Amino acid sequence: MSIGTASTVSTPPTTTPSARARTLTIWAGRSTVAIGMAHLAVFVPQTWSSWGDWLTGRLHGPAAIEDPANADSLLLFWALPGSFTVPLILLGLLLVRMARTGQEVPRYVPWTLAAWVLVGGWILVPSGFPLGLVPATLLLLAHRARPARA
């Protein structure tokens, strides 16, 4: 059994997810991927000028990180390659796969996602953080739509 899942691909689930729960989970995954892709679309053009610096090692070492001349490059690094974008896209793809294979998404996933976007949205206004409430809400609704366990 996989950690945090109600079933695995190799064994049938103890309860078959309802079509509504599967659909909600798939759309939660798709919206998560869309948010990550939107973040890429916004920040790739803004960070393009810094990629050469990053790939040549300009930020290697504590002295380079603390150098005020690298402040803009460091800020842009955390806006894109060091950001949540890739893990967010991977989470979305994982959610879609879990829904398609009949796996249940653990409750801690939507609750943690919701807490993260609420704190991030509170700290950074305006931002796209509140968009993360869409997949979190869809996952909570999917959990409610699942049949009761026997």
Side-chain angles (χ1 to χ4, degrees):
M1 179 185 286
S2 298
I3 296 175
T5 59
S7 66
T8 63
V9 177
S10 61
T11 58
T14 54
T15 58
T16 305
S18 69
R20 178 169 164 72
R22 288 174 61 120
T23 301
L24 288 168
T25 303
I26 287 171
W27 279 105
R30 288 176 178 169
S31 64
T32 304
V33 170
I35 292 166
M37 297 301 286
H39 193 270
L40 280 175
V42 167
F43 284 102
V44 163
Q46 291 181 23
T47 62
W48 192 251
S49 62
S50 296
W51 281 83
D53 290 343
W54 301 334
L55 296 175
T56 59
R58 184 169 176 189
L59 296 180
H60 287 188
I65 291 172
E66 294 171 4
D67 184 354
N70 292 334
D72 287 340
S73 183
L74 189 62
L75 177 69
L76 291 173
F77 172 81
W78 288 112
L80 190 62
S83 74
F84 64 90
T85 304
V86 172
L88 192 63
I89 292 169
L90 291 174
L91 172 64
L93 295 172
L94 180 64
L95 292 172
V96 170
R97 173 148 177 122
M98 289 179 75
R100 289 184 176 158
T101 59
Q103 294 177 313
E104 182 177 340
V105 177
R107 278 190 200 172
Y108 62 79
V109 172
W111 286 114
T112 304
L113 182 60
W116 176 60
V117 299
L118 288 171
V119 169
W122 180 74
I123 292 171
L124 186 63
V125 177
S127 73
F129 272 104
L131 292 174
L133 292 175
V134 172
T137 301
L138 290 171
L139 290 171
L140 290 170
L141 291 172
H143 196 275
R144 290 181 54 116
R146 288 196 171 270
R149 292 181 187 247

